[in-house]
Amino acid sequence: MLRSLYIQNYALIEKLDIDFGSGFSVITGETGAGKSIILGAIGLLLGQRADVKSIRRGAAKCVIEARFEIAGYGMQPFFEENELEYEDECIFRREVYASGKSRAFINDTPASLVQMKELGEQLIDVHSQHQNLLLNKEGFQLSVLDLLAHDEDELSKYRSLHREWKQVQQDLEQLVALSEKNKADEDYIRFQLEQLEDAHLAVGEQEELEQEADTLSHAEEIKAGLFRAGQAMNSDEGGLLSVLKECLNTMAGLQKVYPAAGELAERLESSYIELKDISQEVSGKEEEIEFNPARLEEVNGRLNLIYTLQQKHRVSTVDELLALADDYAAKLSNITSSDEQIETLKARSEALYNKVKRQAAVLTGLRTAAAREVEKQMAARLIPLGMPNVRFQVEIGARKEPGAQGADTVNFLFSANKNGALQNISSVASGGEIARVMLSVKAMIAGAVKLPTIVFDEIDTGVSGEIADRMADIMQEMGDSDRQVISITHLPQIAARGRAHYKVYKQDNETETNSHIRRLTDEERVGEIAHMLSGATLTDAALNNAKALLGIV
């Protein structure tokens, strides 16, 4: 439960530090004194969006910190899953900077707003006046049934099945759309593939053909060059080989009288052998080269086919054309097999849908039983709140298609009068009646869910007198059930029932206005409640009435 709240530089609050106790407490104060500011600060702790305009003028940042006692509420799993340090006292802190930056901490460890919100929802429920509108929201009504049905495990199982079913449906829709598109393109894809296959392309073919085309185009020039080179080496008169042979013989003849000539002779012989081999190869190459216009035309035709395909498909290599052919072949294969895949997915979708419907039926059964219990409890709670002829009915309908929360629609029907027709609660209930219904719903939920702290922000709007006493009974009863209940109220009947009484007030100085909150003493409570009864003028009758409300003899 909420043990303390610290606020610094938030709106009209320069600094506020207040402790709270267990049971039923009340907060009072004039309109505009700052009660809503305190609730806004708590909202920041629960992950609400920060507004830099809420920072007190002239301050660099605002800080809101709350301490919660969480021992005995089984919250260790949350801390373990989020890698946060668990202690019996949990500290929430939010810092909002004038620059727009915001930081959040749980037990002094940086935390995300999602984590703050998730944990905060398990620690405190703040019921503001606008939440009465939730009574007309089907999602809220359904969540009330689920809380009282204790169907968390079955609902989790349903959601898992529903997500899987929706994913299969999505996959099926995508496959059908792709299959239809591919079938529309099948003739085009088949034509492109056949054209590429008919070309009988081979890896490395283009480079070889381009080289052959160059050779054939310059055949005469190449042959003439090889002939000249051969003549230069083999000519009987002045040819390179004959001259070299003569040099070799000369050196060989000198080696008897000049030993150094022997080494030179060996080198010349090696060169002669190499050059003779080159000469023979040149001659062979010359014989191989011939001008072949027919072959050149054939090679150029083949290259033109390759270049045309590359230009058509906007690629630059044969490898890319071969990869494109593989892609077309794969698409045709998919077109052929898509019908089988579609049928497989249809069967899987149908099987999952049947599972979803069966699990939805389980939820419907649990919710129907919970609905009857809700009707009984709401009637029992509302009759003492000045509605002797109240009728409250939970109408459960069926959706056309199972949704994320099941196959049920829920509608709270209400009538406060004997002759009144049951209608949607927001259509027929007055503001005071809605407030009483909402308090009853919250009390019913509190009995089913172990929520440490509940804050009511003027839930008593539109009621007075004996009804206010009955509403105070309910809140006091909730506070006596190992739960902390804090009610912000303008009614003296409710204010007098609190175990602790806090007052919010404003003080002005020469330059600014500050909001404060403090716990009232027993004597101060008499005066505060008397003012709530009589207004600004404090009368003896009001004081006596306040004492009577407080049970002071």
Side-chain angles (χ1 to χ4, degrees):
M1 60 186 65
L2 179 63
R3 283 306 184 192
S4 67
L5 179 65
Y6 174 84
I7 303 173
Q8 183 180 22
N9 295 327
Y10 181 75
L12 296 179
I13 298 174
E14 180 180 13
K15 186 176 181 181
L16 179 152
D17 193 355
I18 190 74
D19 294 330
F20 292 96
S22 59
F24 178 43
S25 302
V26 296
I27 298 176
T28 62
E30 298 293 336
T31 300
K35 299 185 296 295
S36 61
I37 295 175
I38 295 174
L39 290 179
I42 293 176
L44 285 180
L45 290 176
L46 301 182
Q48 292 181 7
R49 183 180 177 182
D51 186 354
V52 296
K53 294 179 182 179
S54 63
I55 300 175
R56 186 175 175 82
R57 187 174 62 182
K61 69 174 182 178
C62 69
V63 178
I64 299 97
E65 181 176 293
R67 293 175 179 270
F68 292 91
E69 182 183 302
I70 61 174
Y73 290 102
M75 295 182 181
Q76 291 93 331
F78 174 87
F79 287 82
E80 292 172 359
E81 291 169 7
N82 291 274
E83 298 181 352
L84 296 168
E85 184 178 351
Y86 175 82
E87 296 180 1
D88 288 345
E89 183 181 71
C90 178
I91 303 174
F92 267 40
R93 187 168 79 255
R94 184 90 180 271
E95 299 175 357
V96 181
Y97 293 80
S99 62
K101 182 181 178 181
S102 172
R103 297 198 303 170
F105 302 87
I106 298 176
N107 287 344
D108 292 326
T109 299
S112 68
L113 294 185
V114 173
Q115 291 172 322
M116 297 280 282
K117 185 176 186 296
E118 184 179 349
L119 181 57
E121 288 176 347
Q122 301 178 52
L123 293 173
I124 184 170
D125 175 26
V126 179
H127 178 87
S128 58
Q129 294 181 54
H130 75 272
Q131 279 192 302
N132 288 336
L133 300 175
L134 289 174
L135 274 176
N136 195 36
K137 301 294 183 181
E138 182 184 337
F140 174 77
Q141 297 171 352
L142 185 59
S143 67
V144 170
L145 278 190
D146 284 332
L147 284 171
L148 296 172
H150 298 288
D151 59 6
E152 298 88 353
D153 293 340
E154 298 297 341
L155 184 57
S156 177
K157 182 178 178 181
Y158 171 85
R159 287 170 176 163
S160 178
L161 286 170
H162 185 265
R163 281 194 300 270
E164 187 178 0
W165 170 58
K166 296 299 287 186
Q167 183 61 54
V168 170
Q169 276 194 316
Q170 182 180 339
D171 294 343
L172 177 59
E173 291 171 1
Q174 291 176 348
L175 182 58
V176 168
L178 180 61
S179 175
E180 291 175 353
K181 181 181 183 303
N182 285 341
K183 285 181 178 178
D185 297 339
E186 182 176 4
D187 291 341
Y188 169 80
I189 294 172
R190 193 175 299 281
F191 172 77
Q192 300 300 328
L193 177 59
E194 289 175 354
Q195 189 178 51
L196 289 170
E197 289 178 339
D198 290 344
H200 299 291
L201 300 171
V203 176
E205 177 185 12
Q206 181 178 351
E207 292 77 8
E208 293 177 3
L209 289 171
E210 287 173 342
Q211 181 60 59
E212 185 179 359
D214 278 347
T215 300
L216 289 170
S217 298
H218 299 85
E220 293 182 355
E221 179 185 346
I222 294 170
K223 194 172 185 68
L226 291 172
F227 175 78
R228 288 193 300 273
Q231 287 297 310
M233 288 189 288
N234 289 312
S235 175
D236 293 336
E237 296 181 2
L240 181 60
L241 287 175
S242 61
V243 172
L244 187 59
K245 183 67 173 177
E246 184 180 346
C247 292
L248 172 60
N249 292 335
T250 301
M251 290 297 111
L254 290 175
Q255 63 181 342
K256 292 181 179 180
V257 295
Y258 181 58
E263 182 182 351
L264 294 173
E266 291 178 1
R267 293 171 63 186
L268 284 170
E269 185 177 11
S270 176
S271 297
Y272 177 79
I273 294 171
E274 178 66 19
L275 287 171
K276 188 176 181 179
D277 184 65
I278 292 173
S279 173
Q280 291 173 348
E281 190 169 344
V282 168
S283 297
K285 294 291 184 184
E286 180 188 353
E287 292 177 3
E288 290 177 5
I289 296 297
E290 64 174 315
F291 177 63
N292 189 342
R295 176 58 184 166
L296 179 59
E297 184 178 356
E298 180 183 343
V299 170
N300 283 334
R302 181 66 177 170
L303 284 172
N304 286 335
L305 172 62
I306 292 174
Y307 294 151
T308 299
L309 290 173
Q310 288 174 345
Q311 185 176 13
K312 176 182 179 179
H313 295 288
R314 298 181 180 180
V315 297
S316 57
T317 67
V318 171
D319 287 348
E320 290 175 300
L321 288 174
L322 291 171
L324 191 60
D326 291 340
D327 183 55
Y328 284 140
K331 286 183 177 179
L332 286 177
S333 176
N334 287 336
I335 291 172
T336 304
S337 62
S338 61
D339 289 342
E340 182 179 344
Q341 295 175 20
I342 287 172
E343 290 304 316
T344 300
L345 276 181
K346 281 183 177 178
R348 186 180 173 197
S349 175
E350 184 176 355
L352 282 170
Y353 179 65
N354 290 332
K355 289 183 178 180
V356 167
K357 287 198 300 183
R358 287 195 294 271
Q359 188 62 22
V362 173
L363 287 175
T364 300
L366 294 172
R367 288 165 175 169
T368 300
R372 304 292 80 83
E373 182 61 27
V374 167
E375 292 169 350
K376 292 178 182 177
Q377 286 199 37
M378 289 299 291
R381 293 177 184 278
L382 289 171
I383 289 174
L385 291 177
M387 300 183 191
N389 300 311
V390 68
R391 286 181 294 154
F392 190 94
Q393 181 177 320
V394 180
E395 182 181 64
I396 298 180
R399 295 182 180 277
K400 292 182 180 179
E401 181 180 286
Q405 303 300 324
D408 305 313
T409 61
V410 177
N411 191 15
F412 286 176
L413 303 178
F414 174 84
S415 174
N417 305 308
K418 285 184 178 181
N419 58 347
L422 283 168
Q423 297 183 48
N424 187 290
I425 189 167
S426 63
S427 302
V428 294
S430 66
E433 288 171 340
I434 287 180
R436 282 175 274 175
V437 170
M438 200 60 175
L439 177 61
S440 298
V441 168
K442 291 283 184 175
M444 185 171 55
I445 293 174
V449 180
K450 200 172 184 181
L451 187 67
T453 300
I454 300 176
V455 179
F456 290 114
D457 180 21
E458 299 183 9
I459 196 171
D460 48 32
T461 299
V463 300
S464 60
E466 184 182 354
I467 304 305
D469 284 333
R470 301 288 76 77
M471 293 182 76
D473 287 338
I474 292 175
M475 286 185 275
Q476 192 172 36
E477 178 185 343
M478 292 170 66
D480 291 339
S481 301
D482 192 27
R483 185 176 290 103
Q484 183 184 47
V485 178
I486 301 172
S487 176
I488 298 174
T489 181
H490 286 294
L491 296 182
Q493 296 96 323
I494 292 178
R497 302 289 286 277
R499 182 181 298 177
H501 188 156
Y502 303 87
K503 181 176 180 179
V504 179
Y505 60 97
K506 290 194 297 188
Q507 281 186 334
D508 297 330
N509 57 31
E510 295 179 356
T511 59
E512 59 188 6
T513 299
N514 290 317
S515 285
H516 303 273
I517 183 172
R518 65 184 179 86
R519 180 170 179 170
L520 300 180
T521 65
D522 291 343
E523 185 177 348
E524 289 172 331
R525 288 190 72 180
V526 174
E528 174 68 10
I529 292 174
H531 278 298
M532 295 173 72
L533 288 165
S534 65
T537 303
L538 197 59
T539 65
D540 290 338
L543 288 169
N544 291 331
N545 196 0
K547 291 178 181 179
L549 287 174
L550 289 167
I552 300 174
V553 180

